[in-house]
């Protein structure tokens, strides 16, 4: 569809294009500079100091937290391998692998659930009248003005054994004994979905809001079914929003710390908890640093692939 | 538009410097959250005309990592007995010689020369307590002074146990349960510890704080707990009792010390001396619900506090309590490995 | 009434089956815990897990507690500054990374902007702690600036992604037209680009605000003396167990924000 549009307009555009070519090239160069302030702040306030962590991952752990300035690869060794504390044999760090797997698995589930709930919600908001849209948006964010811990405790209130859901179900005679939801992986997944839901809804909204419904109408005129319209027209057009939302939910979920601890009951570690343990009671900063650089590399690699795949096509659309 | 931005910027600049403004006298305290009696601080502020700020931390590790690199702005911190030697060794504390201060005479005999800081050249007592077992006696009627309830619980307690996420407390209690010494690196003992904890964990409902809610609401019947919090839980549910495991349990004391890079040293010293006054120490206890180390403070405490079963340890169980030293790095590494294995 | 609108009544183009009910479900799920939170703020007991009758006790307690008020205000100041500056920077960066042909290093810039998302907070926190400690020792300045800077930095990706999603594929013919009519770049931006971009900017700003307001770990590690925020204050309470006092503060804030929003809405639609 995009191609035909392009070819027809190419001829007309060409002459115009030549005329403004020079000025545009200039403008583009100026536009690039617009990223600079953000990059400077990020370099000082986030990414730059991270180099400290990179250095730390190659140093020796100090006895009581912190590092000794002696080069060592113990940190990186500990990420992948473990020396059995009893017989000294070296094997793959299965504990770390299973924690990594749990984190990835639960984060994917949360992202999917957030997408399933968030997409219709964002769509619903974007199709309200112009005056009411912002109101709906505020309604999405207002629950998140209350503190994360408090919200997590509130979720606990709802799903605990003597909580609202179970009391309700038992009260109506639907079940006899409470369904155990709190302190399970399900609770972690639910909690992360809840906590990160606005991160899905808002970017989706920003994308859907500019959706050109004439295209949708045209599709219906050609006897497309609703499902087909959703799949072939709407979703491809709002893909940037889906990409942004999924990143914003998936990546923080991977490093989540509070939710797994409070709702998961702390019986199973997630990556965020494992890293925190090394910087805290474990007193092994190099291992913590190495684990987090490893996580950073994995996420960044996955992200670049994801963005490249997800954007294939969209950039040529317009 | 431009004017608006200008105004906004000047307002922000003004706001940033409010904090930096220096009053006549200041004192910046870094203490555990929800631990400092506001009335105590008000009294000190009034007495010495000093403006006090309180900032919270949630673990010894956080406090240590924040103070170590410097530039934090704190004058006073309150490390636990198990961490005091680390702070002293790393040169983070200032030698203020509380033992020469006028109010030192009030410090109870047993706290004047503690193992973790012989002679008390640095710190004064804040509060002390024990890590033991809270049991809802309406839900469980058996013996409560045993750590079997965590490590080999009877069937009726399966799935009704909470453990606090304090690796060192859990590990040391398990080591003592298996007959070892805290901070041991004895592989044989540790192997038993690992197997015991791995098996026991299947019967634990959660590894989390918030012990009071869990106990009072009946979510769990048994929880590892600190004695002061257990007392708070008992106030809401009289069935909750506190047990001291006969196999061994950790004791601890939090101590007020002046930081080596403190800016308001004189005020900090005044504060140390102020805290050793029995009347003031009683205010600490009244708020935190723990015993303090000052003789004669009981007279100023709420009536129920000094004699509470959570504070007065039964004579026959006193010897089982151990002040845990800072464990050496080798031990710490082993414990972390086991703890990670348990929670994988 | 146009023909299109008439036809829309017969065949709802925008409607998709199940979407409305999912949205309703989503709102119910969002507000169920919040409802529990508000209800328990009126609890007479000291336990957040056990209902012991209606009382305004905790509102009274919170009202009397100067420290809680102080930390709440501090949280809002930091969140306002951080979300404002993060949104501003993110908007510029979004223009700088989408309104250009692909140039070398653009992917690297994209990765750098999103970097704060990719490491757990504890890591950024420890790194900043060490880095800022050096600056604090050298300059002797301990103000809120460090917290604002750190918050701005980690809020940037949260503001950037929605804005970028909005910008991507936005029709630039209007901007070109404006420029052909000799509008200055600033004019073009204010009159054309910004209004088109506005929903994205608003979404980004809201996210940044919420994210800053929630931050515990980085704040805990960066704060200096006397700089507790509401989340770090609560973290300190976590061991003992939180009382309904915090529920009361949250509910009060909720009430105020809902009041403000509806007031704003009513005034604008008069």
């Amino acid at each position: 569809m995009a191609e035909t549009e392009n070819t027809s307009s190419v001829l007309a555009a060409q002459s115009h294009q030549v005329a403004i070519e020079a000025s545009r090239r200039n403008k583009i160069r100026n536009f690039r500079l617009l990223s600079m302030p953000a990059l400077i702040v990020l370099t000082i306030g986030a990414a730059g100091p991270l180099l400290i962590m990179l250095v730390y991952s190659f140093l020796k752990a100090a006895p009581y937290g912190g590092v000794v300035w002696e080069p060592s690869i113990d940190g990186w060794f500990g990420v992948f391998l473990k020396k059995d504390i009893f017989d000294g044999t070296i094997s793959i760090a299965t504990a770390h692998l299973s924690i990594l797997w749990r984190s990835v698995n639960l984060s994917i589930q949360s992202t999917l659930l957030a997408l399933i709930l968030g997409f219709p919600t964002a769509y619903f908001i974007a199709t309200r009248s112009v005056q009411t849209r912002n109101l709906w948006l505020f309604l999405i964010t207002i629950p998140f003005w209350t503190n994360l811990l408090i919200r997590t405790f509130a979720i606990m209130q709802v799903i605990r054994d003597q909580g609202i859901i179970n009391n309700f179900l038992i009260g109506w005679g639907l079940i006899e004994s409470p369904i155990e939801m709190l302190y399970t992986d399900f609770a972690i997944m639910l909690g992360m979905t809840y906590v990160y839901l606005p991160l899905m809804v808002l970017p989706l909204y920003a994308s859907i809001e500019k959706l050109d419904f004439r295209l949708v109408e045209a599709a219906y005129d050609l006897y497309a079914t609703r499902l087909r319209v959703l799949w072939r027209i709407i979703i491809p057009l709002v893909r940037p929003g889906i990409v942004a939302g999924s990143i914003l939910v998936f990546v923080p979920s991977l490093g989540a710390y509070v939710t797994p601890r409070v709702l998961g009951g702390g019986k199973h570690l997630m990556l965020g908890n494992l890293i925190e343990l090394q910087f805290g009671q474990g007193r092994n900063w190099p291992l913590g640093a190495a684990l987090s650089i490893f996580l950073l590399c994995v996420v960044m690699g996955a992200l670049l692939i994801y963005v490249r795949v997800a954007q294939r096509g969209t950039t040529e659309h317009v | 538009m431009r004017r608006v931005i200008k105004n906004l910027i000047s307002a922000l600049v003004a706001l940033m410097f409010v904090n930096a403004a220096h009053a006549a006298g200041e004192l910046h305290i870094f203490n555990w959250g929800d631990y400092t009696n506001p009335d105590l601080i008000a009294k000190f502020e009034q007495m010495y005309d000093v403006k006090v700020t309180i900032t919270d931390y949630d673990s010894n590790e956080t406090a240590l990592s924040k103070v170590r690199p410097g530039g934090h702005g704190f004058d006073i911190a309150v490390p636990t007995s198990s961490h005091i030697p680390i702070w002293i060794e790393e040169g983070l504390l200032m030698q203020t010689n509380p033992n020469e201060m006028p109010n030192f005479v009030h410090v109870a005999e047993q706290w004047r020369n503690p193992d973790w800081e012989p002679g008390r050249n640095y710190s004064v007592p804040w509060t002390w307590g024990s890590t033991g077992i809270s049991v809802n006696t309406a839900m469980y009627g058996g013996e409560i002074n045993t750590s079997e309830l965590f490590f080999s619980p009877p069937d009726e307690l399966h799935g009704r146990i909470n453990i606090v996420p304090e690796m060192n407390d859990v590990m040391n209690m398990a080591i003592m349960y298996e007959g070892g010494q805290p901070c041991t690196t004895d592989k044989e003992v540790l192997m038993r510890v690992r197997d015991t904890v791995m098996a026991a964990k299947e019967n634990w409902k959660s590894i989390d704080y918030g012990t009071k809610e869990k106990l009072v609401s009946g979510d769990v019947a048994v929880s590892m707990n600190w004695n002061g919090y257990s007392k708070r839980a008992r106030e809401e549910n009289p069935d909750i009792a506190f047990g001291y495991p006969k196999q061994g349990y950790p004791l601890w004391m939090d101590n007020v010390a002046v930081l080596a890079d403190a800016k308001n040293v004189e005020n900090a010293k005044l504060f140390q001396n102020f805290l050793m006054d029995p009347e003031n120490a009683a205010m600490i206890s009244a708020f935190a619900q723990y015993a303090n180390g000052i003789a004669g403070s009981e007279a100023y405490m709420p009536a129920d506090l000094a004699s509470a079963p959570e504070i007065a340890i039964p004579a026959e169980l006193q010897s089982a309590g151990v002040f845990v030293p800072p464990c050496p790095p080798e031990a710490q590494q082993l414990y972390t490995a086991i703890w990670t294995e348990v929670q994988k | 009434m146009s023909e299109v609108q008439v036809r829309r009544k017969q065949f709802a183009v925008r409607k998709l089956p199940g979407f409305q009910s999912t949205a309703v479900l989503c709102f119910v799920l969002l507000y169920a815990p919040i409802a529990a939170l508000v209800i328990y703020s009126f609890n007479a007991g000291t336990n957040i897990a056990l209902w012991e009758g209606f009382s305004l006790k905790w509102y009274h307690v919170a009202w009397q507690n100067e420290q809680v008020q102080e930390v709440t205000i501090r949280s809002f100041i930091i969140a306002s500054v951080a979300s404002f500056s993060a949104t501003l920077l993110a908007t510029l960066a979004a223009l700088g990374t989408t309104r250009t042909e692909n140039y070398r290093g653009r992917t690297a810039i994209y990765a750098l902007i999103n970097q704060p998302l990719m490491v757990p907070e504890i890591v950024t926190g420890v790194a900043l702690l060490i880095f800022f400690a050096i600056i604090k020792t050298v300059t002797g300045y301990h103000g809120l600036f460090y917290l604002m800077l750190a918050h701005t930095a980690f809020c940037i990706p949260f503001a950037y992604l929605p804005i970028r999603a909005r910008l991507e594929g936005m029709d630039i013919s209007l901007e070109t037209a404006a420029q052909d009519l000799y509008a200055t770049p600033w004019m073009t931006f204010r009159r054309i680009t910004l209004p088109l971009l506005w929903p994205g900017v608003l979404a980004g700003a809201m996210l940044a605000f919420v994210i800053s307001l929630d931050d515990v770990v980085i704040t805990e590690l960066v704060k200096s003396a006397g700089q507790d925020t509401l989340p770090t204050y609560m973290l300190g309470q976590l061991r003992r167990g939180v009382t309904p006092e915090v529920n009361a503060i949250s509910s009060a804030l909720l009430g105020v924000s809902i009041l403000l929003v509806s007031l704003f809405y009513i005034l604008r639609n008069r």
Side-chain angles (χ1 to χ4, degrees):
Chain A
M1 160 190 77
E3 257 90 310
T4 46
E5 209 179 89
N6 275 351
T7 33
S8 61
S9 58
V10 156
L11 283 176
Q14 216 153 36
S15 57
H16 186 67
Q17 202 121 29
V18 172
I20 60 166
E21 184 74 9
S23 82
R24 171 171 268 188
R25 195 163 289 165
N26 235 341
K27 209 180 74 196
I28 284 170
R29 193 156 301 142
N30 291 339
F31 260 117
R32 283 187 207 176
L33 291 177
L34 291 177
S35 313
M36 285 314 287
L39 296 183
I40 292 170
V41 168
L42 281 163
T43 308
I44 302 173
L50 220 61
L51 288 177
I52 300 176
M53 283 294 121
L54 183 64
V55 174
Y56 273 27
S57 73
F58 288 105
L59 295 176
K60 243 177 90 173
Y64 302 108
V67 288
V68 185
W69 286 88
E70 274 173 50
S72 155
I73 53 157
D74 287 355
W76 285 98
F77 178 87
V79 173
F80 305 106
L81 301 171
K82 70 160 188 189
K83 196 166 159 193
D84 192 282
I85 53 173
F86 301 116
D87 56 23
T89 52
I90 291 172
S91 58
I92 295 197
T94 45
H96 293 176
L97 279 183
S98 74
I99 290 168
L100 176 72
W101 168 240
R102 175 177 309 112
S103 299
V104 171
N105 188 10
L106 287 178
S107 301
I108 290 177
Q109 288 182 29
S110 305
T111 310
L112 285 178
L113 186 59
L115 186 62
I116 291 167
L117 284 172
F119 189 86
T121 310
Y123 188 89
F124 172 80
I125 296 174
T127 50
R128 296 305 95 190
S129 73
V130 180
Q131 297 97 321
T132 46
R133 274 177 212 166
N134 287 347
L135 189 69
W136 284 106
L137 270 190
F138 263 109
L139 279 179
I140 285 281
T141 39
I142 279 175
F144 299 87
W145 287 38
T146 56
N147 180 271
L148 172 68
L149 280 167
I150 281 292
R151 255 179 291 142
T152 315
F153 283 125
I155 297 172
M156 212 163 131
Q157 230 46 273
V158 175
I159 61 174
R160 70 195 310 150
D161 291 358
Q162 276 88 30
I164 295 172
I165 292 181
N166 274 319
N167 279 345
F168 181 81
L169 292 177
I170 292 172
W172 283 82
L174 294 170
I175 51 171
E176 283 186 356
S177 57
I179 305 170
E180 200 172 334
M181 288 175 283
L182 191 60
Y183 306 137
T184 59
D185 281 356
F186 170 74
I188 300 180
M189 197 271 286
L190 195 73
M192 291 198 305
T193 307
Y194 185 89
V195 167
Y196 297 122
L197 195 61
L199 304 187
M200 180 64 87
V201 175
L202 289 169
L204 275 175
Y205 162 79
S207 254
I208 298 174
E209 206 261 351
K210 66 167 190 227
L211 189 70
D212 188 347
F213 278 96
R214 283 172 303 181
L215 291 174
V216 176
E217 219 169 333
Y220 283 130
D221 289 345
L222 297 169
Y223 301 104
T225 61
R226 292 208 191 257
L227 197 65
R228 217 175 147 73
V229 166
L230 175 66
W231 200 246
R232 300 302 289 269
I233 311 281
I234 298 178
I235 288 185
L237 283 174
V238 301
R239 208 186 262 157
I242 298 177
V243 172
S246 308
I247 293 173
L248 283 176
V249 175
F250 179 74
V251 181
S253 297
L254 262 186
Y257 170 71
V258 172
T259 319
R261 205 169 92 178
V262 176
L263 294 180
K267 281 173 76 181
H268 297 292
L269 293 176
M270 298 247 301
L271 270 175
N273 310 85
L274 178 68
I275 292 172
E276 202 272 344
L277 178 66
Q278 309 308 329
F279 282 107
Q281 298 179 54
R283 297 183 198 153
N284 193 344
W285 287 29
L287 176 56
L291 277 169
S292 40
I293 304 273
F294 173 67
L295 175 67
L296 177 71
C297 295
V298 170
V299 171
M300 212 169 247
L303 205 63
L304 288 179
I305 295 169
Y306 176 65
V307 170
R308 205 152 279 174
V309 170
Q311 280 184 337
R312 191 173 292 156
T314 36
T315 34
E316 287 106 46
H317 260 300
V318 181
Chain B
M1 183 79 182
R2 204 164 285 169
R3 182 173 292 170
V4 172
I5 291 174
K6 218 179 222 170
N7 283 343
L8 205 75
I9 289 171
S10 52
L12 284 180
V13 170
L15 197 117
M16 270 180 239
F17 283 94
V18 168
N19 263 49
H22 276 259
E26 288 183 23
L27 181 64
H28 302 292
I29 300 173
F30 197 28
N31 196 355
W32 296 82
D34 207 14
Y35 210 25
T36 320
N37 190 339
D39 297 338
L40 177 82
I41 296 305
K43 185 177 170 187
F44 181 78
E45 283 183 323
Q46 216 172 19
M47 219 160 142
Y48 296 100
D49 190 27
V50 168
K51 173 88 191 90
V52 177
T53 69
I54 312 262
T55 313
D56 297 345
Y57 57 82
D58 70 316
S59 72
N60 273 306
E61 286 77 18
T62 309
L64 192 57
S65 347
K66 277 190 73 84
V67 169
R68 192 185 275 132
H72 41 75
F74 301 115
D75 300 311
I76 275 186
V78 192
T80 307
S81 48
S82 60
H83 281 69
I84 286 272
I86 304 176
W87 289 66
I88 294 175
E89 193 190 308
E90 297 201 6
L92 300 174
L93 300 185
M94 182 185 287
Q95 191 166 342
T96 53
N97 297 323
N99 46 16
E100 292 166 10
M101 290 179 182
N103 279 339
F104 194 72
V105 292
H106 298 296
V107 174
E109 196 55 47
Q110 67 178 125
W111 307 118
R112 286 193 180 187
N113 195 19
D115 290 343
W116 63 85
E117 195 206 330
R120 283 226 184 257
N121 294 313
Y122 296 89
S123 74
V124 305
W126 177 265
T127 57
W128 71 277
S130 49
T131 311
I133 305 181
S134 290
V135 180
N136 187 333
T137 50
M139 294 167 82
Y140 177 72
E143 158 80 39
I144 65 167
N145 291 316
T146 169
S147 40
E148 255 174 51
L149 298 190
F150 300 141
F151 302 120
S152 137
D155 289 349
E156 55 180 308
L157 285 179
H158 286 186
R160 306 170 88 179
I161 300 165
N162 177 60
I163 299 289
V164 289
E166 296 284 334
M167 179 177 89
N168 290 318
D169 283 341
V170 180
M171 288 302 294
N172 282 319
M173 213 185 254
I175 288 166
M176 290 188 274
Y177 175 77
E178 288 296 342
Q181 289 298 314
C183 291
T184 186
T185 49
D186 183 335
K187 297 270 165 78
E188 228 168 286
V189 173
L190 286 178
M191 202 179 274
R192 288 209 305 274
V193 165
R194 181 191 63 180
D195 296 342
T196 305
V197 177
M198 290 283 265
K201 184 212 163 192
E202 299 304 315
N203 302 319
W204 297 348
K205 186 179 176 80
S206 52
I207 304 177
D208 190 17
Y209 296 117
T211 53
K212 194 183 72 180
E213 290 95 79
K214 292 187 179 60
L215 285 161
V216 171
S217 64
D219 271 4
V220 298
V222 168
S223 176
M224 188 176 282
N225 207 356
W226 294 280
N227 57 337
Y229 296 173
S230 191
K231 179 174 180 293
R232 278 171 187 277
R234 178 168 58 86
E235 276 158 13
E236 285 172 38
N237 183 343
D239 292 331
I240 290 163
F242 188 70
Y244 302 87
K246 59 182 178 227
Q247 296 89 344
Y249 57 91
L251 289 172
W252 48 264
M253 176 177 256
D254 290 331
N255 306 273
V256 180
V258 182
L259 300 175
D261 48 359
K263 297 256 160 51
N264 305 293
V265 178
E266 288 316 307
N267 292 337
K269 286 184 182 171
L270 283 175
F271 190 65
Q272 281 190 313
N273 188 46
F274 174 81
L275 292 180
M276 292 186 285
D277 183 312
E279 209 177 324
N280 300 332
M283 289 172 91
I284 303 177
S285 293
F287 185 83
Q289 302 284 302
Y290 286 106
N292 58 64
I294 306 301
S297 65
E298 295 82 0
Y300 303 97
M301 279 188 210
D304 67 315
L305 190 60
S307 59
E310 290 87 358
I311 289 191
I313 306 176
E316 70 275 16
L317 292 165
Q318 266 171 14
S319 60
V322 180
F323 277 96
V324 179
C327 293
E330 309 85 71
Q332 205 68 23
Q333 229 167 21
L334 297 173
Y335 299 174
T336 313
I338 295 176
W339 192 236
T340 310
E341 197 71 25
V342 167
Q343 295 185 81
K344 76 174 178 192
Chain C
M1 196 173 246
S2 77
E3 205 182 317
V4 178
Q5 265 169 323
V6 172
R7 220 178 50 185
R8 245 179 222 156
K9 272 203 176 133
Q10 295 156 349
F11 185 84
V13 174
R14 287 155 185 257
K15 215 182 146 205
L16 283 165
F19 270 38
Q20 194 151 351
S21 32
T22 315
V24 170
L25 176 75
C26 188
F27 276 101
V28 170
L29 285 177
L30 272 181
Y31 277 86
I34 300 301
L37 165 93
V38 174
I39 291 168
Y40 274 87
S41 74
F42 295 107
N43 192 358
T46 50
N47 198 313
I48 59 163
L50 215 65
W51 180 253
E52 288 174 34
F54 180 88
S55 138
L56 287 174
K57 175 178 158 193
W58 293 107
Y59 286 87
H60 186 71
V61 171
W63 187 249
Q64 304 269 305
N65 189 339
E66 270 176 47
Q67 204 190 353
V68 169
Q69 290 165 23
E70 210 178 282
V71 297
T72 310
I73 292 169
R74 192 173 295 120
S75 281
F76 271 85
I77 290 173
I78 294 172
S80 313
V81 173
S83 58
F84 176 78
S85 25
T87 312
L88 184 70
L89 296 177
T91 310
L92 293 176
L95 288 169
T97 48
T98 49
R99 282 305 152 89
T100 55
E101 280 136 21
N102 204 353
Y103 54 88
R104 195 180 303 170
R106 200 167 78 161
T107 316
I109 290 178
Y110 185 73
L112 180 62
I113 290 175
N114 288 304
Q115 178 275 326
L117 283 174
M118 292 176 218
V119 284
E121 276 189 79
I122 176 89
V123 182
T124 315
V126 173
L128 284 177
L129 166 70
I130 295 160
F131 180 59
F132 285 161
I134 300 168
I135 302 181
K136 284 177 187 171
T137 324
V138 171
T139 61
Y141 169 71
H142 293 107
L144 278 182
F145 176 76
Y146 300 102
L147 279 176
M148 290 172 177
L149 177 67
H151 278 235
T152 304
F154 71 69
C155 283
I156 286 176
F158 291 94
Y160 172 81
L161 283 172
I163 298 174
R164 187 192 151 106
R166 175 85 188 177
L167 257 177
E168 241 164 42
M170 200 166 88
D171 189 357
I172 60 164
S173 56
L174 280 172
E175 288 170 44
T176 319
Q179 247 147 30
D180 289 350
L181 296 169
Y182 302 104
T184 60
W186 172 241
M187 267 302 237
T188 319
F189 178 74
R190 264 207 61 198
R191 293 290 162 84
I192 311 286
T193 320
L194 192 59
L196 286 172
L197 197 56
W198 191 244
V201 173
L202 193 67
M206 281 182 186
L207 274 190
F209 187 77
V210 167
I211 291 296
S212 165
L213 210 56
D214 251 1
D215 181 74
V216 196
V217 182
I218 292 179
T219 313
E220 176 77 10
L221 289 167
V222 170
K223 74 184 181 190
S224 301
Q227 293 181 350
D228 268 319
T229 60
L230 191 59
T232 64
Y233 172 78
M234 288 197 44
L235 185 72
Q237 290 202 318
L238 200 60
R239 279 169 173 250
R240 182 190 276 192
V242 272
T243 57
E245 182 182 359
V246 201
N247 285 23
I249 301 162
S250 307
S251 308
L253 285 178
L254 216 64
V256 171
S257 46
I258 291 174
L259 203 73
L260 283 179
V261 170
S262 19
L263 208 68
F264 180 73
Y265 182 74
I266 292 166
L267 285 179
R268 231 187 47 172
N269 287 296
R270 264 227 315 230

